[in-house]
Amino acid sequence: MSTAFVAVLLIHLHFPQAASLKGKRSELRAVKAHLQGRVGASVAEVDHHDLWQRATLAATLCSGSLGKLETTVDGVCRWLDARFPEGVRVERTIASLADLRA
């Protein structure tokens, strides 16, 4: 039987310097492009659409190896912490296909 793992990240961002939705959107585009292009994540903005200084993204990653997936998620968290040192919080959930079927 094949093994598959999925990670779901809720990424809570704060943009203290954003003075408009346009400024926030510019930052979000860069974050989403990195997560999609460099990491291969599926990403969607899921909350705070109309607020200038806040956003919540949901990102998903999958792998056949739990270790590889955890390493990738750790890398995403480190990248986000470096980019937003005072304005990011990440909630992570990692599950196997068997967990999801239960």
Side-chain angles (χ1 to χ4, degrees):
M1 180 168 114
S2 296
T3 304
F5 299 91
V6 64
V8 178
L9 307 177
L10 274 181
I11 304 165
H12 304 276
L13 298 168
H14 182 239
F15 307 101
Q17 304 303 322
S20 67
L21 284 174
K22 185 176 180 180
K24 172 183 139 176
R25 296 276 176 249
S26 176
E27 287 284 336
L28 281 179
R29 269 193 301 276
V31 171
K32 289 166 71 174
H34 175 82
L35 294 174
Q36 291 167 336
R38 306 268 291 160
V39 183
S42 294
V43 184
E45 185 177 358
V46 296
D47 202 2
H48 309 300
H49 301 279
D50 57 346
L51 298 179
W52 295 2
Q53 296 184 333
R54 294 185 66 194
T56 300
L57 301 175
T60 59
L61 298 148
C62 62
S63 177
S65 163
L66 178 58
K68 182 177 178 184
L69 183 60
E70 288 176 333
T71 298
T72 302
V73 169
D74 289 343
V76 167
C77 291
R78 280 192 306 276
W79 180 81
L80 288 165
D81 284 337
R83 183 166 178 116
F84 304 100
E86 295 180 19
V88 67
R89 181 172 55 90
V90 180
E91 297 176 56
R92 63 167 87 183
T93 302
I94 298 177
S96 69
L97 181 59
D99 294 337
L100 297 173
R101 287 182 174 164

